[in-house]
Amino acid sequence: MSDTMNEKRDGGPPLCDPVTLEIIRGAVAAAQAEMEALLERTAISAFIREKKDFYTALFDADGVMAVGSMVPIFGDMTTPVLEKFPAETMQPGDLYWYNDCYGSRGAVSHSNDQVLLAPVFKDGRLSAFVMSWAHFADIGGIHPGSISPDATEIFQEGIIVPPTKLTSAGVTNEAALEIFHRNSRFPDQSIGDMRALMASVDLGVRRIGEIVDRFGADVLADALSQLLVRTRKLVREKLAETFDYGTYSFTDAIDTDGHGNGPFKIRFSLTREKTDDGDDRFIFDATATDDQAPGPVNFLMNRGVPGMALGLFYLGGDPAQVCNAGGPNALDDVRLRAGSLLQPEFPAPLGMRGLTTMRVLSAINGLVNVAGGKAPAANSAYVITIMRGKFRDEDDGLLKRFLLADGIGVGYGARPDADGIDAVYFVAQENYPVEFLEVGYPVRLRRYGIVENSGGAGKFRGGCGIIREYEILAEDMMLAVRIDSVKNPPWGIHGGMGGGSGRVTVNPGLESERGLKPLSDGNRLIKGDILRMETGGGGGHGHPFDRPEEKVLADVLGGFVSADAAERLYGVVIRDGAIDHAATARLRSSRPETKAFHRQEYVDVLA
């Protein structure tokens, strides 16, 4: 993409002046945010309404993403539709739908995620596309929830919808929707969520249409082109600041696929080279990553994902910038290997790809750090519990089926200038409120708080994980659980220590206490059982002895760090809620040696 794309082809000035550009940038971002708000407020299932597992975006007339949410795991969302339904065949009122992971080359990465895409027309001219995407609670498959560590092929993860014209000139294909909803164990939720998703896209079409009406299709097209160029230029400048000429490599790992296999290594390299004409060329290479897994932790990574993740890192949440395809376009080449964990071959299962996704993001942070950049330490991967069973209805006494998919937050890695974030699910998504859980499901939450000592020690402490303790009120229940980073916990950097690991315990402290495998299904619980979930923390950044004594004391008083860990890891002695300065000075006078990374022990290179 040329840096002069914002100029007219005749060499004249851009159609969209700087002031109008900022007005349009704000307008399209507001439209995208309004689409999300509508979806959140009208969806039926908890994973959309409470967890906020959805995404909206705007694309230009060529299908290039111009404005999206700050979620770094999506790639080319429009090409799967445009390949089957060319733009010249589209008309106002059309709506397209898919969830086909392999058919979309990873644009959607597991089958629960439904994508709706609609063209925006002005005076018969295609001016833009809008998209809404959301996670549907159940679309069939081997178990309720459609996601399970038990899966060995994608057919066990629910119905697969190839790119399909759902609505033609305003007329909806109700038969296609009936087939889809008939495959759900909870069709009322499915119907309600699809209506919310369709309404969100319809709102986006109207709002972008209003922007076209105000500014004209040509000015809008030029504005979106300028925003793409701006982001691409910024990301390439930052890449050049971080990566000198040469090749930089980093390796990370996930523990298992739930079928006794693993660990699986994720190996990335980024090369900066100079072309014959003197331009920089950036090549992202994941071909050395391990082979695909028999279990469902494969991540069909779209080629746009590495650039999207790097772009969001370099944008740094700057409100003057927008998340768009400028990040992916900043990389000149992305190399993947068919049959690998990140490019599995059909029909490998993908449902638990979130574990690998989170490790991919941390590995990209590692790549930046190896090159001398200032990325955070590693995050834990957000935890999922899927509870399925029957409870007795208080009104009629009948047994009724329930499905509770609860995503639980973890600790994120410490940053070069700040502690890691505590108790984060994923980006802007949220933990279920206690009141919502207890009103909607047969569980009682006995405990909900921070896991002490789960954040990696460092000058800047890693974020801490969460403890949730449920009392089971259902007659019986089958539990699927997804926890990673037990054998390979999140790494710390520059002297910071690795984050803590998660674990699952049934009936803690009782004679019947038992631990569950961190990635497993078919765990039976009965009424009265106590389920304790503890999630992992993020890695630390910088030598723990460099953390100010007062911050260590605040961590101890706040329940983030124990007094014993403060003394053992940070060299800070705390007695009766106060710092013993003399004892602390003696401890800190003997400074432990560290190395570049820490994962259970200090190492120079993670391999």
Side-chain angles (χ1 to χ4, degrees), residues 145-364:
S146 311
I147 297 175
S148 171
D150 288 347
T152 56
E153 58 181 16
I154 197 170
F155 296 111
Q156 297 168 337
E157 296 175 339
I159 187 171
I160 299 172
V161 181
T164 300
K165 183 183 280 191
L166 178 59
T167 302
S168 180
V171 179
T172 299
N173 186 341
E174 298 292 347
L177 286 176
E178 287 181 13
I179 294 170
F180 178 72
H181 298 317
R182 188 69 176 91
N183 277 269
S184 175
R185 298 171 179 88
F186 301 90
D188 289 344
Q189 283 191 18
S190 179
I191 291 168
D193 289 345
M194 184 60 77
R195 287 174 177 169
L197 202 58
M198 293 172 73
S200 173
V201 172
D202 181 66
L203 175 64
V205 169
R206 286 188 281 116
R207 290 291 179 263
I208 300 304
E210 291 166 0
I211 295 172
V212 177
D213 286 342
R214 178 180 177 184
F215 296 100
D218 290 332
V219 172
L220 175 63
D222 187 66
L224 298 182
S225 176
Q226 289 190 50
L227 291 174
L228 285 164
V229 170
R230 187 164 78 181
T231 300
R232 179 180 183 271
K233 183 177 180 180
L234 183 150
V235 174
R236 285 183 69 85
E237 288 174 352
K238 295 292 186 179
L239 283 169
E241 290 175 8
T242 303
F243 295 90
D244 201 351
Y245 292 102
T247 298
Y248 302 83
S249 300
F250 190 82
T251 299
D252 214 329
I254 62 170
D255 292 343
T256 179
D257 67 344
H259 292 256
N261 307 296
F264 295 89
K265 298 292 183 69
I266 297 166
R267 299 181 178 92
F268 289 158
S269 293
L270 195 145
T271 299
R272 180 187 177 192
E273 61 186 23
K274 192 176 287 292
T275 63
D276 293 339
D277 57 9
D279 292 335
D280 279 345
R281 179 172 167 81
F282 295 98
I283 302 166
F284 186 91
D285 193 320
T287 57
T289 294
D290 281 354
D291 290 345
Q292 67 189 60
V297 297
N298 302 291
F299 175 33
L300 186 61
M301 188 172 76
N302 189 272
R303 293 180 182 276
V305 167
M308 184 68 74
L310 286 164
L312 288 179
F313 168 69
Y314 288 126
L315 291 177
D318 183 353
Q321 305 295 336
V322 293
C323 169
N324 59 32
N329 289 340
L331 295 175
D332 297 285
D333 192 10
V334 174
R335 298 173 181 174
L336 304 171
R337 178 175 62 86
S340 71
L341 186 74
L342 302 181
Q343 200 68 191
E345 295 182 331
F346 182 82
L350 308 173
M352 293 277 174
R353 84 335 183 196
L355 294 182
T356 309
T357 301
M358 292 301 292
R359 198 55 43 221
V360 161
L361 298 179
S362 285
I364 290 174

